[in-house]
Amino acid sequence: MTVTFTIINIAVMLLLIFGLFKLQQKHVSFSKRVFFALGLGIVFGLALQFIFGTGSEVIIGTIDWFAIIGSGYVKLLQMVVMPLVFISIVAAFTKLKLSKNIGKISALIIGILVGTTAISAAIGIGTTLVFDLEAVQIQAGEAETARGEEIETRQVEVETLTIPQQILSLIPANPFLDLTGARPTSTIAVVIFAAFIGVAYLGVKRKEPEVAESFAKLINTLNTITMRVVTLILRLTPYGVLAIITKVTATSDYESIAKLGKFVIASYVALGIVFLVHLLLLSLAGLNPITYVKKVLPVLTFAFTSRTSAGTLPLNVKTQSEELGVPTGIANFAGSFGLTIGQNGCAGVYPAMLAIMIAPSVGINPLSPSFIFTVILVVAISSFGVAGVGGGATFAAILVLSALDLPVALAGLLISVEPLIDMGRTALNVSGSMTAGILTSKVTGELDTAVYVEPKQTVGV
């Protein structure tokens, strides 16, 4: 019987995919198809859980098959991340778009990412205090205890890395290894390697222009082909979103979510306020925030459902360059740095909220101005250091809590709602990187405001 129900569920999924395909044939806009897929996935996932129950053999078997579409799509995006980053940045040098101000661009992007993360920490602290959240309010079960022990084990690994060692980990000792994405810091290492290639190209261009011209043609050809591959993969976005959100809604533990509803609501309030800060910064730069929201919603939707900033990178870069008027080189720098430095959600809001929640359990007054200032400072610094240990909310939390001498195991109390919160955190991380790209382009005078203003439907078509 289990096999029969699984086959029926697969048939329903294929029918929904066919419906999305027909919408594409009718030239329904990419954004509408993505949101329609999101809605279908929520309804289908809830229906599966209501009929079969969480953890049933039917659900497990069905989701396993659905992963071919959802996880398969994410893997295709991850496949093209490194080629996209490397080729696009080198191509920016061959087109003379990064030759004069690469240092300024890098400093601006990192400064905006870390600065907005400090703001995110302050907002996370304020939200936690307003909602009166404390770790002692949460009961620890077997899963929470096991998660706490796992975090304590990781703490040992994190504490062995000094800040100089974290910085050294960004430098590519073997660029070919990093092109495979083998290390947590591979993306930034590839950015650095590509920048060296670009600078070398500029030197060769002055001495041997014919050789440089041949190299530029090769890179530009590879860049065109790579972007075409990205476009082909992005066409699958609605189907990927459908499968991914179906899995999320079908397997979520809604009883645990309800018990920790106060923390979930507080988290999303904080994340929402930080997103408003992004819009405010764009407004102060003389850009229409509504235009930004309309153009980035498909990107944030995918980031939200997939919970992967790396997988979102191709869509992130393509949207910045084709919809928001950001030069490809800057878009790649912002997107790549944003994967591991200054993540507003994972390295800003989340660890700050945890620090304030846990502080009372060890006799620290969370309302103390000196403690609040210390938390913000530690979060800002750690948001850069996260790159050395692989990124992610867990590592960010370990870094911050360890620096503040707070028990890291208590971070495991939120394991049951971790996936739900992580969806919003990932979307905010991506928005932060895109905001950094736009603001940097605006400051350096390279933002194509005509492209930013014009409504276009180029991404994913």
Side-chain angles (χ1 to χ4, degrees), residues 44-357:
F44 188 28
L46 290 174
L48 288 175
Q49 182 168 130
F50 177 77
I51 296 171
F52 302 106
T54 305
S56 67
E57 291 185 9
V58 175
I59 290 288
I60 294 173
T62 298
I63 295 303
D64 197 31
W65 280 100
F66 288 0
I68 295 176
I69 302 169
S71 300
Y73 171 65
V74 172
K75 283 182 179 257
L76 287 176
L77 284 169
Q78 291 172 336
M79 171 191 75
V80 78
V81 165
M82 292 305 178
L84 173 65
V85 170
F86 178 75
I87 295 297
S88 296
I89 290 178
V90 176
F93 277 93
T94 62
K95 296 174 183 176
L96 298 178
K97 291 183 179 179
L98 290 176
S99 58
K100 296 181 180 179
N101 53 2
I102 183 172
K104 182 179 180 181
I105 288 171
S106 300
L108 279 171
I109 290 173
I110 293 174
I112 293 170
L113 288 172
V114 175
T116 52
T117 299
I119 295 172
S120 301
I123 291 171
I125 291 171
T127 305
T128 306
L129 294 173
V130 168
F131 279 81
D132 191 27
L133 298 176
E134 292 186 15
V136 294
Q137 300 169 350
I138 305 173
Q139 294 182 347
E142 292 183 7
E144 287 78 10
T145 302
R147 177 61 170 171
E149 292 174 353
E150 178 187 343
I151 291 175
E152 285 183 325
T153 301
R154 291 189 180 184
Q155 181 186 15
V156 177
E157 302 173 8
V158 173
E159 289 182 334
T160 58
L161 287 175
T162 63
I163 292 179
Q165 288 174 334
Q166 293 170 19
I167 294 173
L168 280 173
S169 69
L170 304 178
I171 301 174
N174 183 347
F176 298 101
L177 177 67
D178 286 317
L179 283 168
T180 67
R183 300 189 303 140
T185 55
S186 283
T187 305
I188 293 183
V190 169
V191 170
I192 294 172
F193 178 58
F196 269 97
I197 295 293
V199 172
Y201 160 80
L202 295 176
V204 172
K205 185 178 180 182
R206 287 193 296 269
K207 298 180 179 179
E208 301 178 71
E210 293 182 0
V211 174
E213 184 179 355
S214 299
F215 178 78
K217 288 180 179 179
L218 172 63
I219 292 298
N220 290 334
T221 299
L222 291 174
N223 184 53
T224 301
I225 293 174
T226 301
M227 293 308 297
R228 181 58 182 169
V229 171
V230 170
T231 300
L232 292 174
I233 295 174
L234 292 182
R235 285 180 175 176
L236 303 174
T237 299
Y239 313 111
V241 167
L242 170 64
I244 293 169
I245 200 63
T246 298
K247 174 185 176 181
V248 171
T249 52
T251 58
S252 293
D253 185 352
Y254 295 105
E255 185 177 345
S256 296
I257 291 173
K259 290 179 181 178
L260 293 171
K262 188 178 179 182
F263 179 79
V264 174
I265 293 172
S267 296
Y268 273 91
V269 168
L271 296 173
I273 293 174
V274 177
F275 183 66
L276 291 178
V277 170
H278 293 170
L279 301 185
L280 177 61
L281 291 173
L282 293 174
S283 297
L284 293 175
L287 301 170
N288 189 334
I290 304 301
T291 300
Y292 170 79
V293 173
K294 289 180 179 178
K295 292 188 175 184
V296 304
L297 267 180
V299 187
L300 301 186
T301 299
F302 176 72
F304 182 85
T305 54
S306 66
R307 295 170 53 199
T308 167
S309 296
T312 311
L313 183 61
L315 187 57
N316 178 340
V317 172
K318 195 172 178 67
T319 301
Q320 283 191 66
S321 59
E322 296 189 5
E323 294 282 356
L324 299 171
V326 178
T328 305
I330 294 179
N332 269 281
F333 268 76
S336 302
F337 283 141
L339 295 182
T340 46
I341 294 176
Q343 296 180 333
N344 291 180
C346 290
V349 171
Y350 184 66
M353 291 184 72
L354 283 179
I356 297 300
M357 287 177 61

Side-chain angles (χ1 to χ4, degrees), residues 3-44:
V3 175
T4 301
F5 282 127
T6 300
I7 293 174
I8 292 173
N9 293 337
I10 294 172
V12 173
M13 174 60 77
L14 292 175
L15 186 63
L16 295 177
I17 289 174
F18 179 74
L20 290 173
F21 177 71
K22 295 301 291 185
L23 290 178
Q24 182 178 343
Q25 285 189 321
K26 292 181 180 180
H27 304 292
V28 174
S29 73
F30 177 71
S31 299
K32 290 180 180 178
R33 284 185 281 122
V34 169
F35 286 113
F36 189 61
L38 180 66
L40 285 177
I42 292 173
V43 173
F44 188 28

